[in-house]
Amino acid sequence: MGKTQNWLCGECGEVFGKWSGKCPSCDAWNTIKEFHEARISTGKTKLSAGRDLGAAKNAVRKTEPQQRIATKIDEVDRVLGGGFFPGSMILFGGAPGIGKSTLALQIFLKFSEKTKTESEPTALYFSGEESVEQVLHRAERVTKKFGEKVNQIFSTSSLEDICETIAKNSPALAVIDSIQMVGTENSSFGQLSQLRENAEILLKLAKSTGTTILVIGHVTKNDEIAGPKILEHIVDVVLRLEGEGTNEVRVLSSPKNRFGSTLEVGVFEMRGSGLAELKNPSEFFLAERAENAAGSAIAVVREGSRNFLLEIQVLTVKTNFGQPRRTAHGIGLSKFHLLLAVVSKFTPFKCGEFDAYCSVVGGMKIKEPAADLAICAAILSSRAEKEISADTVILGEVGLSGEVRSVGNLEARLVEATKLGFKKAIIPRTRGKLKIPAGLETTEVKSVLELVKMVFKN
Ligand code: TYD
Ligand code: MG
């Protein structure tokens, strides 16, 4: 049977009938490469990648009413929206060394605790990167009760073998580490088109067996392998594990989730015994806070259904020559530029001739504008060399005319701050009646200029 010829964009993963220099879908240049559909057979099950997914659709309809299966790792379940859906395919991405294999193994170990008989494994683990001994060695660090799992761990890079084993056992969960390291017999590893083929084969397998397939995918720092991006289109759920190189906090998020929210995050700490859930992330983030340091402010940031207290640090120093330098970790650089401009324009503290560095302590990334005012306060505090009182949280979105706007879920955020012992809050002017938690003193500000007075009043 002849192969169908297609063209695949390495940037956005779109497939076309003919080649072109510029991708019609994402406008990237020179990213379109030839791509052949793959067909492989695994014993009784015939699986083919490509466009004909009619059979798979039927399978989806059949599995939909099924219940989610919780991983029993709370931070993972929260991000997933309660657990895995049977028959779904999950891509688990992240930079090398961040802890993907470790967390995937922990999920596998939790899952296989449910095994009733040895002949009916509930979870299988396939590693194309490590030998069974290496996986076991890792498992040994994570848990003591791994011995009987030996039969459920395989070291193979053959997609045929993996498919056959999954089709034969129909486990609830199969982990594949990593999609870049598995391939069919007659294909070369690591190629874009091959990644896509592999993913489509696995997706079909997941739908037809009802097995949840968790595939690990590497992302290089500068996204050199566009692979995971292509895969994101195919899979049901994308999980991402991130962290700053120098500290142990790891944040799990879900940029794509067909079955749940994409807003929730799970927070872990990398320890000698694997990834430990951080039940009280705010406490952890604030633990090393320097007392009475200028340039530090506390924001309350909402991620999904939880509120985190995060320390924002800003350092401003007079520029020696040329253009001022600006860097930002944990917030977007353009946001930092914008807030520096607002502070310069609407307060007496000009920043134009100052280098400015911003960092969110603990490696969390702030995506919402509710931390704007705290960032402005940290800038002001550093410029004025005057510390903000340590028991104060600062909340508010800042507009381009220096006005302070309201934030959502203000009351819940204040409750969280009170729980952690904060006594004062600077908040946006509110029209309606607010339920302020007992013991918290609030001050309303309506502009960044007012913030200057409030922050430094004591
Ligand atoms: P790993 O899961 O292999 O990363 P990935 O699969 O994303 O490439 O984790 C790599 C790092 O984690 C490695 O530097 C060692 C460290 N680690 C611990 O600190 N504690 C542990 O218990 C384990 C298993 C790994
Ligand atoms: Mg790994």
Side-chain angles (χ1 to χ4, degrees):
M1 208 164 107
K3 283 182 172 177
T4 327
Q5 194 176 25
N6 282 316
W7 300 89
L8 171 77
C9 171
E11 193 63 29
C12 66
E14 209 50 63
V15 175
F16 306 97
K18 64 177 175 47
W19 183 87
S20 61
K22 183 179 166 187
C23 171
S25 167
C26 70
D27 292 341
W29 285 95
N30 285 332
T31 53
I32 296 188
K33 303 250 157 61
E34 208 174 334
F35 157 60
H36 296 286
E37 288 175 4
R39 278 170 196 280
I40 68 168
S41 74
T42 57
K44 280 181 273 155
T45 347
K46 280 248 183 292
L47 294 153
S48 77
R51 312 243 93 184
D52 174 27
L53 293 174
K57 272 190 203 129
N58 293 337
V60 180
R61 226 169 287 134
K62 258 182 257 154
T63 52
E64 241 168 17
Q66 292 192 26
Q67 292 289 311
R68 284 175 195 270
I69 311 174
T71 62
K72 297 276 165 61
I73 301 175
D74 289 347
E75 297 293 299
V76 176
D77 285 335
R78 177 183 307 109
V79 175
L80 287 170
F84 292 125
F85 257 110
S88 61
M89 181 161 165
I90 296 156
L91 174 68
F92 184 18
I98 202 77
K100 299 179 298 298
S101 301
T102 307
L103 187 58
L105 184 70
Q106 284 177 252
I107 295 172
F108 159 79
L109 290 168
K110 271 275 178 198
F111 237 83
S112 48
E113 275 173 17
K114 296 173 192 154
T115 311
K116 286 188 201 81
T117 59
E118 210 171 293
S119 57
E120 261 180 47
T122 53
L124 298 174
Y125 191 101
F126 301 93
S127 182
E129 310 205 329
E130 295 165 311
S131 66
V132 173
E133 285 70 35
Q134 282 171 314
V135 178
L136 285 174
H137 181 68
R138 190 195 293 271
E140 209 172 307
R141 293 177 70 168
V142 174
T143 173
K144 301 233 154 40
K145 306 178 284 180
F146 69 93
E148 68 275 23
K149 311 286 166 5
V150 181
N151 300 338
Q152 291 158 246
I153 298 171
F154 303 85
S155 174
T156 174
S157 55
S158 152
L159 192 62
E160 284 92 345
D161 285 354
I162 293 175
C163 289
E164 200 164 330
T165 314
I166 294 176
K168 214 188 292 164
N169 294 289
S170 298
L173 174 77
V175 176
I176 299 171
D177 185 6
S178 65
I179 188 87
Q180 277 98 348
M181 289 302 288
V182 298
T184 50
E185 255 161 40
N186 43 13
S187 63
S188 47
F189 284 80
Q191 273 188 1
L192 233 48
S193 54
Q194 194 223 328
L195 280 179
R196 196 189 152 108
E197 288 167 16
N198 292 351
E200 291 193 340
I201 289 167
L202 289 169
L203 180 75
K204 255 194 152 175
L205 184 67
K207 304 297 176 207
S208 61
T209 54
T211 296
T212 300
I213 299 185
L214 180 77
V215 288
I216 291 177
H218 295 294
V219 194
T220 56
K221 283 261 155 58
N222 37 10
D223 258 339
E224 262 167 27
I225 308 169
K229 254 189 218 158
I230 290 174
L231 303 179
E232 284 182 17
H233 291 274
I234 299 171
V235 300
D236 299 305
V237 178
V238 177
L239 292 179
R240 188 172 294 159
L241 192 64
E242 288 169 300
E244 295 279 322
T246 48
N247 78 41
E248 277 70 46
V249 178
R250 300 284 182 271
V251 180
L252 183 73
S253 60
S254 171
K256 169 177 174 179
N257 191 346
R258 286 198 179 131
F259 315 116
S261 155
T262 53
L263 298 172
E264 297 288 350
V265 295
V267 189
F268 298 88
E269 185 193 1
M270 181 59 98
R271 299 207 183 130
S273 55
L275 283 157
E277 298 176 76
L278 272 188
K279 297 285 182 198
N280 257 322
S282 302
E283 264 172 31
F284 185 86
F285 294 137
L286 299 182
E288 287 176 6
R289 194 180 173 205
E291 296 261 312
N292 306 326
S296 152
I298 306 292
V300 190
V301 175
R302 198 168 171 84
E303 292 271 4
S305 56
R306 281 197 301 181
N307 301 298
F308 294 96
L309 274 85
L310 297 175
E311 182 188 356
I312 294 160
Q313 291 184 334
V314 170
L315 175 68
T316 56
V317 239
K318 194 109 178 71
T319 306
N320 267 334
F321 54 83
Q323 289 280 322
R325 258 182 76 81
R326 269 87 203 259
T327 64
H329 285 288
I331 65 164
L333 186 59
S334 54
K335 162 72 87 182
F336 188 43
H337 277 299
L338 188 148
L339 295 174
L340 283 165
V342 169
V343 169
S344 298
K345 175 90 180 171
F346 299 103
T347 77
F349 295 96
K350 310 296 172 214
C351 302
E353 289 165 10
F354 284 81
D355 294 343
Y357 310 93
C358 178
S359 161
V360 178
V361 178
M364 289 278 288
K365 291 197 171 63
I366 299 181
K367 286 167 239 131
E368 59 158 13
D372 290 357
L373 196 62
I375 300 168
C376 289
I379 297 171
L380 285 164
S381 167
S382 175
R383 273 288 284 106
E385 289 174 25
K386 209 159 180 289
E387 72 271 11
I388 298 166
S389 99
D391 57 358
T392 308
V393 291
I394 302 175
L395 285 151
E397 181 179 342
V398 172
L400 287 183
S401 14
E403 81 279 19
V404 176
R405 295 159 181 264
S406 57
V407 300
N409 299 93
L410 184 59
E411 290 171 357
R413 295 181 204 242
L414 294 178
V415 168
E416 186 69 25
T418 318
K419 265 195 227 157
L420 285 155
F422 284 82
K423 298 276 184 290
K424 294 179 204 151
I426 295 179
I427 57 172
R429 176 98 70 84
T430 37
R431 268 183 233 108
K433 187 124 180 62
L434 261 188
K435 222 175 117 221
I436 308 288
L440 189 74
E441 178 196 322
T442 55
T443 311
E444 298 187 357
V445 292
K446 61 176 197 298
S447 69
V448 174
L449 185 59
E450 272 191 28
L451 174 75
V452 178
K453 293 181 224 145
M454 296 327 303
V455 167
F456 307 118
K457 76 173 175 203
N458 47 349

